[in-house]
Amino acid sequence: MDGAEGNTGQPGHAERSHRSSVSSVGVRADVLVYLADDTVVPLAVENLSSISAHELHRAVHDVLQLPDVALEAFALWLVSPLLEVQLKPKHLPYKLGRQWPELLLRFTDASDDDVAMDEPSLQFRRNVFFPKHRELQIHDDEVLRLFYEEAKGNVLTARYPCDLEDCEVLGALVCRVQLGPYQPDQPAACTLREKLDSFLPAHLCKRGHGLFAAFRGRGSKTGSSEQGVLNAYRQVKEATGSDSETTLGSHYRAYLLKCHELPFYGCAFFHGEVDKPAQGFLHRGGRKPVTVAISLEGVYVIDSREKYVLLGLRFQELSWDHTSPEEEEPVLWLEFDGDSEGTPVNKLLRIYSKQAELMSGLIEYCIELSQAAEPTLPQESASGSQEAPSPSPPPTQRPKLRRQGSVVCSRIQHLSTIDYVEDDKGVKRVKPKRTTSFFSRQLSSSQGSYSVVQPTDDSLEQS
């Protein structure tokens, strides 16, 4: 856990609980590595206590007969319902597994009973630091399938919040993969109705009952979702894959291309809480649980219950830091430009989380990768890649998701932030011009629009 590459966050598949990856320990042990579709790769290894993540990764690669690019595209993760960690190549999985209770106590709020019962499993997942554009250069069906299965799981569990229109398109591609080409005479509607949660996120599959459900219109919403998926299924084109890619591979690629439109695709995920805006006569606030998604491009704060983005910032648009005062909760601070009733201000967002240190470290590491990378296309975020971008960018760009009310649009009005500026008398709340930043850690100003003017006197201390 030494460094930013040991990413820790909340798991995306809580149902995968209490799976063991080691059946015996000694000179020879049987290790189980889980793929994104829950299939298992059994490995017989010697000297388990001293084997590295890199060695296990290579063993999985060889068993699955994957191309060499898979060594970069995937990583080994330790995952449980309480915590997930992407392992560095030098990490010793068995040692980390023995230290799991200590990690839970340090980075989660789990109870002692939950800590005692929790057990991690080894999973073969996408590498957080693998650039999206490099996925598009891969034509191996099995690699594309593994990407597809992981993305599909994140969509169905709403870890990737999607608008209904996009869920229908993605669900239609899943239909094509699982059911084959659409046939007018096949009972596709019955299959959709019976297994709708295999094609759409669970919150879009709930059927309403009773008076309140009728008022909310949930009963009709499910029916319209089924029809929407069915209509999109009819329109799935039977594109021919490349010489090294089958027709099925082209549908995996189509699914991934659609997911690439989501700003949080490929992120590492963490959990925390933010303050709610004060409401009502008594100005009651409180907190709401959030998921913090961090990628090579930026940071996204997602409402864990409502399944939509509260705040999305590219690294060029923010400053950040974390604090861990004694006897107080650790906090990740995000600072960004905004306005208060038309007045330009700096905004500070507090994210309460025992994983604040990890999030801060990951942001810093991603920015280091961005600064070391060669320039990419101007409309794209810093990708963190050290290779030239794909010759042809994805045909669908993020602005297509900017429909009114889209779940990927920021909802800053649902956040409680600290708004401030600084004048010659010190830091004050809600003044018209930004002149300073609380934090010095940020992406170089030459690479983005967020520029900080350092104060020339002691006014910051005076405040």
Side-chain angles (χ1 to χ4, degrees):
M1 289 300 302
D2 53 338
E5 288 184 60
N7 302 318
T8 311
Q10 65 181 37
H13 307 284
E15 69 274 10
R16 300 178 179 178
S17 60
H18 306 297
R19 299 187 306 184
S20 177
S21 283
V22 181
S23 59
S24 62
V25 178
V27 177
R28 191 172 182 84
D30 296 325
V31 177
L32 304 179
V33 180
Y34 294 83
L35 304 182
D37 60 356
D38 273 345
T39 58
V40 178
V41 178
L43 302 174
V45 301
E46 296 181 356
N47 301 318
L48 176 63
S49 60
S50 60
I51 195 168
S52 68
H54 172 74
E55 293 170 298
L56 284 178
H57 189 293
R58 169 64 76 172
V60 175
H61 169 274
D62 293 343
V63 169
L64 297 179
Q65 298 182 335
L66 299 175
D68 288 344
V69 69
L71 294 173
E72 301 177 67
F74 298 98
L76 282 182
W77 294 67
L78 276 177
V79 177
S80 82
L82 299 179
L83 193 66
E84 57 186 33
V85 180
Q86 177 175 315
L87 303 184
K88 289 181 176 182
K90 67 180 181 180
H91 277 150
L92 304 178
Y94 180 72
K95 180 181 178 181
L96 280 178
R98 294 291 298 270
Q99 297 173 343
W100 198 249
E102 300 172 30
L103 296 177
L104 295 180
L105 291 173
R106 181 179 176 186
F107 296 118
T108 76
D109 295 311
S111 66
D112 291 342
D113 290 341
D114 287 339
V115 169
M117 294 293 294
D118 196 59
E119 183 176 1
S121 62
L122 270 174
Q123 297 188 17
F124 191 72
R125 288 189 182 181
R126 188 185 187 282
N127 182 355
V128 170
F129 305 113
F130 190 71
K132 289 189 297 185
H133 76 264
R134 290 192 61 190
E135 284 188 5
L136 307 180
Q137 300 170 355
I138 297 174
H139 296 280
D140 183 86
D141 274 10
E142 183 60 15
V143 173
L144 292 174
R145 186 189 72 83
L146 292 172
F147 285 144
Y148 158 81
E149 291 287 353
E150 184 171 343
K152 181 184 70 172
N154 286 331
V155 170
L156 293 180
T157 57
R159 169 174 265 196
Y160 291 168
C162 298
D163 295 324
L164 176 59
E165 299 92 329
D166 300 307
C167 286
E168 291 171 352
V169 172
L170 292 170
L173 289 167
V174 176
C175 287
R176 171 58 186 87
V177 170
Q178 296 184 3
L179 306 178
Y182 176 78
Q183 301 292 339
D185 55 344
Q186 71 178 5
C190 295
T191 303
L192 282 174
R193 190 172 298 110
E194 294 169 359
K195 300 181 179 180
L196 193 59
D197 59 357
S198 297
F199 308 106
L200 288 175
H203 67 280
L204 297 179
C205 301
K206 295 178 181 178
R207 299 178 182 276
H209 298 283
L211 178 63
F212 292 105
F215 277 118
R216 297 188 188 107
R218 289 182 178 176
S220 60
K221 182 178 181 180
T222 302
S224 63
S225 298
E226 293 175 9
Q227 190 60 44
V229 174
L230 188 59
N231 292 339
Y233 183 23
R234 292 192 186 102
Q235 298 172 16
V236 173
K237 297 180 181 179
E238 291 302 311
T240 303
S242 67
D243 293 340
S244 59
E245 180 178 287
T246 66
T247 300
L248 196 58
S250 69
H251 294 302
Y252 296 148
R253 180 181 298 279
Y255 193 97
L256 294 172
L257 279 169
K258 189 66 180 174
C259 287
H260 282 195
E261 297 177 7
L262 304 172
F264 30 74
Y265 175 81
C267 284
F269 292 85
F270 305 80
H271 64 81
E273 293 181 325
V274 297
D275 294 314
K276 294 180 180 179
Q279 295 178 341
F281 178 74
L282 298 178
H283 298 283
R284 291 178 176 174
R287 295 182 184 176
K288 67 172 69 178
V290 296
T291 299
V292 182
I294 301 174
S295 72
L296 291 170
E297 300 177 355
V299 181
Y300 304 89
V301 182
I302 301 169
D303 191 305
S304 299
R305 293 172 180 164
E306 300 298 330
K307 309 301 182 186
Y308 53 55
V309 172
L310 293 167
L311 178 66
L313 296 170
R314 298 183 181 186
F315 292 131
Q316 298 95 326
E317 301 170 326
L318 63 87
S319 287
W320 90 100
D321 210 337
H322 78 279
T323 55
S324 300
E326 293 185 8
E327 300 182 0
E328 292 185 29
E329 292 177 89
V331 173
L332 177 71
W333 297 87
L334 298 180
E335 180 187 48
F336 55 98
D337 288 334
D339 69 84
S340 177
E341 299 180 353
T343 301
V345 297
N346 271 11
K347 287 182 174 288
L348 286 174
L349 176 66
R350 278 181 295 204
I351 302 175
Y352 306 92
S353 175
K354 292 186 75 172
Q355 298 171 357
E357 177 185 355
L358 295 165
M359 289 187 275
S360 178
L362 180 57
I363 292 172
E364 184 168 23
Y365 187 73
C366 288
I367 287 179
E368 289 177 1
L369 291 178
S370 299
Q371 291 175 329
E374 295 180 1
T376 56
L377 294 174
Q379 67 268 25
E380 293 289 331
S381 302
S383 68
S385 166
Q386 297 188 24
E387 296 185 13
S390 173
S392 56
T396 49
Q397 299 295 330
R398 192 169 300 162
K400 289 191 175 182
L401 282 177
R402 298 305 187 187
R403 58 178 71 93
Q404 185 176 4
S406 170
V407 297
V408 303
C409 293
S410 294
R411 291 166 169 77
I412 298 178
Q413 71 274 17
H414 293 174
L415 293 171
S416 176
T417 59
I418 301 171
D419 299 347
Y420 80 95
V421 295
E422 183 186 359
D423 60 17
D424 55 358
K425 297 180 180 179
V427 174
K428 295 184 178 180
R429 303 286 285 270
V430 192
K431 290 294 180 179
K433 186 176 181 180
R434 169 173 58 82
T435 58
T436 191
S437 169
F438 278 138
F439 312 127
S440 61
R441 303 172 69 182
Q442 64 181 131
L443 187 67
S444 172
S445 61
S446 63
Q447 300 186 30
S449 58
Y450 191 91
S451 58
V452 176
V453 178
Q454 298 296 337
T456 57
D457 53 24
D458 296 330
S459 57
L460 191 59
E461 285 78 13
Q462 293 172 2
S463 65

